[in-house]
């Protein structure tokens, strides 16, 4: 199984989110999780029967350090895990994080799901 999905989601550092009202932050988090699940669901259903590598790539004009990158992608990770039908700490799923610089005011999240140990095309 190899699937790559690009979602027009704007993810931000957890430091930026700290200044938001907690209701607004919760609404944004829920939206990111739900949108990630919807985009992944549009590719069809999946059953986790083998080890998977899920790589989340944040596209933005700015680069985050590692801990802020993981925090910014947490809701997306949860949505992908929902689609997989497993908790996000399932040992069969390895999570990878990357970043890609794009022009200002452009942003997205790319999710790549692939079996571990398979040859890449």
């Amino acid at each position: 199984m190899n699937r790559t999905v690009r979602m027009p989601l704007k993810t931000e550092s957890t430091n930026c989110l700290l200044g938001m009202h907690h209701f607004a932050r919760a609404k944004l988090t829920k939206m990111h999780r739900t949108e990630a699940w919807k985009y992944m669901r549009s590719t069809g259903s999946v059953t986790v029967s083998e080890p998977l590598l899920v790589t989340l790539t944040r596209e933005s004009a700015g680069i985050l350090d590692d801990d802020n990158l993981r925090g910014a992608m947490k809701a997306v990770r949860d949505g992908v895990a929902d689609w997989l039908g497993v908790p996000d700490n399932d040992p069969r799923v390895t999570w990878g994080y990357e970043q890609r610089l794009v022009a200002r005011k452009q942003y997205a999240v790319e999710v790549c799901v692939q079996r571990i140990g398979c040859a890449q095309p």
Side-chain angles (χ1 to χ4, degrees), residues 27-47:
K27 183 177 180 179
L28 180 64
T29 299
K30 182 177 181 179
M31 186 271 297
H32 280 171
R33 184 175 186 159
T34 302
E35 287 298 307
W37 174 78
K38 284 180 186 177
Y39 273 96
M40 297 309 297
R41 191 180 76 168
S42 72
T43 70
S45 62
V46 66
T47 302

Side-chain angles (χ1 to χ4, degrees), residues 1 50-54 91-94 114-120:
M1 170 212 328
E50 57 206 351
L52 298 175
L53 171 62
V54 179
R92 295 172 293 178
V93 181
T94 301
Q114 53 196 143
R115 287 182 291 185
I116 294 177
C118 289
Q120 298 301 314

Side-chain angles (χ1 to χ4, degrees), residues 81-95:
D82 292 344
W83 169 70
L84 290 170
V86 299
D88 72 343
N89 65 348
D90 189 296
R92 295 172 293 178
V93 181
T94 301
W95 299 91

Side-chain angles (χ1 to χ4, degrees), residues 10 12 22 32 44 61 79 98 101 108 110 114 116:
K10 182 178 182 181
E12 297 186 83
H22 60 278
H32 280 171
E98 296 180 2
L101 282 174
E110 183 181 271
Q114 53 196 143
I116 294 177

Side-chain angles (χ1 to χ4, degrees), residues 5-9 35-36 39-40 76 80 107-111:
V5 177
R6 192 166 181 274
M7 311 171 200
L9 294 177
E35 287 298 307
Y39 273 96
M40 297 309 297
V76 174
V80 174
Y107 46 82
V109 173
E110 183 181 271
V111 179

